[in-house]
Amino acid sequence: MEEQNGSKINIQWFPGHMTKAKREMQEKLKMVDFVIELRDARIPNASRNPMLDELCKQKPRLIILSKRDKAQASYTKQWIAHLSNETTKVLALDILKDSVTQMVVDASQQLMKAKIERMIRRGIRPRAMRAMVVGVPNVGKSTFINRISKKKIATTGDRPGVTKALQWSRVNKDLELLDTPGVLWPKFEDEQVGLLLAVTGAIRDEVLPIDEIALWAMRWLLENHSEALTKRYDIPLKSDPHAMLEAIAWKRGFLKNGQEVDWKRTIETFLREIRDDRLGSITWEIPDENSK
Ligand SMILES: Nc1nc2c(ncn2[C@@H]2O[C@H](COP(=O)(O)OP(=O)(O)OP(=O)(O)O)[C@@H](O)[C@H]2O)c(=O)[nH]1
Ligand SMILES: [Mg+2]
């Protein structure tokens, strides 16, 4: 395995279906009252899409920090306080287990309270609220829509790029949601944003330099969560990330001909275990003033 010292890791993924999705989202935006933006609770800053921010900036927003079960609760709490304001409400959810419908219908009603009251004052019978569900690939948009609608309308899968077209679904008489394909943006200004999206599974491995991603992730874990590495892999810690991956390969027997490290298998397994939180719940970003 080649190690690239200090050079930039080049990550970019903006396929044609995302360009098309962006255009369609722009068209549909005038039909919706607010936007539900899903961000990954492990990376609430890196999973914020600046292109969608720009597109949706006129609309009230409900931010859902998804996969809260994979993040550290104390940091999630800090993120909720950090991101909330008058026009933005924030909820953290384990979409697979929490009472999603109740929590989201309540939050949506609070967010739309003034508008609903205005309609009632003018004698207009309030119609169902409509929201567009947006977010980076694999963050849980379709799973969220299925859970909240209590129907399996949208196709889901643990890989980025599952949803390819926009689709409406009705939650109840008060709420209708529009599922959208996960979109990224044409250029990551900050290298770390691309790396974090890659580590957590928002970018297809086929377009990634996965050995560099794995080395970067190992280096970060050595600095920030060495206890999780010891616990999971039961090997002596080494400061060199390459040597750590090698030690894991020997420990697990990921070898070719019994004597040479099988790098592909080692790296794929390591990344899969991070994504499946086999090293425990880990938040990869903490809030600061640059991350709104
Ligand atoms: N642990 C955990 N897994 C979740 C949560 N929400 C979604 N998932 C999983 O995340 C994976 C991706 O879910 P999808 O709903 O297909 O994601 P998406 O945002 O629609 O993805 P694209 O359509 O590719 O943009 C699935 O394997 C879900 O089961 C959550 O809160 N916790
Ligand atoms: Mg989807």
Side-chain angles (χ1 to χ4, degrees), residues 84-99:
S84 302
N85 63 41
E86 306 89 72
T87 53
T88 310
K89 282 195 72 68
V90 186
L91 284 179
L93 293 177
D94 173 348
I95 295 175
L96 306 177
K97 299 214 178 99
D98 289 339
S99 324

Side-chain angles (χ1 to χ4, degrees), residues 38 65-70 93-97 135-144 155-164 179-183 277:
L38 268 72
L65 299 176
S66 67
K67 310 193 183 184
R68 78 167 173 85
D69 51 304
K70 297 190 176 199
L93 293 177
D94 173 348
I95 295 175
L96 306 177
K97 299 214 178 99
V136 298
N138 206 33
V139 69
K141 299 174 295 298
S142 301
T143 307
F144 167 74
T155 314
T156 64
D158 193 9
R159 56 190 190 283
V162 174
T163 305
K164 293 283 198 299
D179 191 12
T180 67
V183 288
D277 60 349

Side-chain angles (χ1 to χ4, degrees), residues 230-243:
T230 312
K231 187 157 174 240
R232 177 75 194 161
Y233 298 108
D234 190 25
I235 48 169
L237 288 175
K238 301 173 199 298
S239 57
D240 175 20
H242 189 272

Side-chain angles (χ1 to χ4, degrees), residues 71-87:
Q72 288 158 271
S74 58
Y75 287 135
T76 301
K77 211 169 143 193
Q78 289 180 28
W79 274 110
I80 293 174
H82 185 73
L83 295 172
S84 302
N85 63 41
E86 306 89 72
T87 53

